[in-house]
C-alpha cells in the first residue's frame, strides 16, 4: 500500500486559499489520490479524488503533479467551517481499503 | 436518504467483556468497511464485507470479527476487550465499483 506524507498542521486566513500538500512518491499506476476531511471527531467526509488529471468540484480543486508523486488540495476561499483534519489517501482502484495517515490539521483564522 | 448510520453512538464496557457495534449502509450500497480511530490518530482499516463475506482484513487480531447481513447491514464484534480497544469505531459504505466511501458518525467505545 502506498504511503502518504502530509504536514502536521497549517493555518490559513479566512477568505484566503488554503493549499494542502501531500507526498505519495510510491504511488502505483492504478492508485487514485483521495482527500477526506474530519471535523471534530465526526466521520470523515469525502472531498475529491483524482488519478492523473487535475480535478475540481464545488468544494475544492486537486492538483496532481505530472509524475503523480505529489498533489495539492486547494480550498479556494477558506471559511471557519473548513477547520478540520485533512487526510490524503492513496487507494487502489479495486478496493475501498483506505490507508489513512495522521493528516494535516488545518486551522482557519478569523 | 439517512446516509450511513451507526449504533450505539457511545458505549462503555469493562475489560474482558464483548461488544457488538452496528452499521446500516447508505441506501443502495453493498460494501461495508470498518475502521478503528484512536485518539489523535487517523482511522485504521479493520476489515471489509461484500456479499456477506469478509473480503479484506487489516492488521487486527481475531478478537475482531464481523458479519454482513443480506440487507447489507453489518456488525463488528470485539471479544475479550482490552483498555487499548478504546477508540472511535467508524463504518464506511460504498457501492462496489463506485467512486467514494461514505462514513458514519462512529461509535465511541470506552473500555474501563
Amino acid at each position: 500500500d502506498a504511503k502518504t506524507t502530509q504536514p502536521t498542521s497549517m493555518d490559513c486566513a479566512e477568505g484566503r486559499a488554503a493549499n494542502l500538500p501531500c507526498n505519495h512518491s510510491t504511488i502505483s499506476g492504478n492508485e487514485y489520490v483521495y482527500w477526506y476531511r474530519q471535523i471534530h471527531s465526526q466521520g470523515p467526509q469525502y472531498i475529491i479524488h483524482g488519478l492523473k488529471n487535475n480535478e475540481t468540484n464545488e468544494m475544492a480543486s486537486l492538483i496532481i503533479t505530472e509524475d503523480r508523486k505529489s498533489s495539492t488540495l486547494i480550498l479556494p476561499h477558506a471559511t471557519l467551517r473548513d477547520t478540520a483534519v485533512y487526510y490524503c489517501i492513496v487507494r487502489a482502484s479495486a478496493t475501498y481499503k483506505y490507508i489513512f495517515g495522521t493528516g494535516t490539521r488545518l486551522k482557519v483564522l478569523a | 436518504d439517512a446516509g450511513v448510520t451507526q449504533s450505539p453512538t457511545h458505549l462503555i464496557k469493562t475489560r474482558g467483556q464483548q461488544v457488538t457495534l452496528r452499521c446500516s449502509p447508505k441506501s443502495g450500497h453493498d460494501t461495508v468497511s470498518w475502521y478503528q480511530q484512536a485518539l489523535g490518530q487517523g482511522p485504521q482499516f479493520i476489515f471489509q464485507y461484500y456479499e456477506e463475506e469478509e473480503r479484506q482484513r487489516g492488521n487486527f487480531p481475531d478478537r475482531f470479527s464481523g458479519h454482513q447481513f443480506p440487507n447489507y447491514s453489518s456488525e463488528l464484534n470485539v471479544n475479550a476487550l482490552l483498555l487499548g480497544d478504546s477508540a472511535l469505531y467508524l463504518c464506511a459504505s460504498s457501492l462496489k465499483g463506485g467512486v467514494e466511501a461514505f462514513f458514519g458518525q462512529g461509535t465511541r467505545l470506552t473500555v474501563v
Side-chain angles (χ1 to χ4, degrees):
Chain A
D1 298 317
K3 299 294 188 288
T4 61
T5 305
Q6 299 176 251
T8 303
S9 63
M10 294 180 64
D11 291 341
C12 176
E14 189 178 21
R16 304 296 295 267
N19 295 275
L20 290 85
C22 178
N23 180 287
H24 32 78
S25 58
T26 60
I27 193 169
S28 301
N30 68 341
E31 291 180 320
Y32 289 77
V33 178
Y34 275 73
W35 284 83
Y36 277 76
R37 71 181 182 184
Q38 189 172 27
I39 298 173
H40 195 53
S41 292
Q42 297 177 18
Q45 175 193 22
Y46 168 81
I47 302 173
I48 199 167
H49 78 285
L51 183 63
K52 297 180 186 177
N53 301 321
N54 299 335
E55 302 288 344
T56 296
N57 63 20
E58 65 278 4
M59 288 182 68
S61 294
L62 174 61
I63 309 298
I64 303 174
T65 58
E66 193 169 341
D67 63 6
R68 302 187 69 237
K69 293 185 177 182
S70 65
S71 61
T72 300
L73 177 73
I74 301 172
L75 307 178
H77 306 286
T79 71
L80 298 179
R81 286 175 295 181
D82 292 322
T83 292
V85 178
Y86 287 77
Y87 293 101
C88 170
I89 301 160
V90 170
R91 193 207 96 180
S93 60
T95 177
Y96 285 100
K97 177 184 176 183
Y98 291 135
I99 306 299
F100 287 80
T102 52
T104 295
R105 186 171 298 276
L106 175 69
K107 188 174 182 180
V108 180
L109 305 172
Chain B
D1 184 1
V4 180
T5 58
Q6 294 187 241
S7 62
T9 54
H10 295 82
L11 199 54
I12 299 175
K13 287 286 189 178
T14 302
R15 192 171 43 183
Q17 285 188 316
Q18 178 264 342
V19 68
T20 298
L21 310 181
R22 295 176 175 81
C23 172
S24 293
K26 184 176 171 65
S27 179
H29 283 187
D30 55 10
T31 302
V32 173
S33 302
W34 286 92
Y35 292 79
Q36 179 195 65
Q37 186 173 24
L39 203 60
Q41 303 295 315
Q44 302 295 306
F45 176 79
I46 303 175
F47 43 52
Q48 179 183 95
Y49 278 83
Y50 171 69
E51 291 186 337
E52 302 179 49
E53 289 190 17
E54 183 182 297
R55 300 293 178 171
Q56 286 188 287
R57 189 178 183 92
N59 189 24
F60 279 81
D62 291 345
R63 298 186 298 109
F64 290 78
S65 63
H67 189 77
Q68 186 179 35
F69 299 94
N71 66 352
Y72 306 126
S73 67
S74 177
E75 289 182 347
L76 165 65
N77 301 291
V78 186
N79 293 323
L81 284 167
L82 305 174
L83 297 179
D85 295 332
S86 295
L88 180 68
Y89 288 84
L90 294 161
C91 169
S93 78
S94 51
L95 182 63
K96 191 162 179 64
V99 171
E100 80 265 26
F102 291 79
F103 285 81
Q105 296 303 295
T107 294
R108 173 74 60 187
L109 172 65
T110 302
V111 182
V112 297

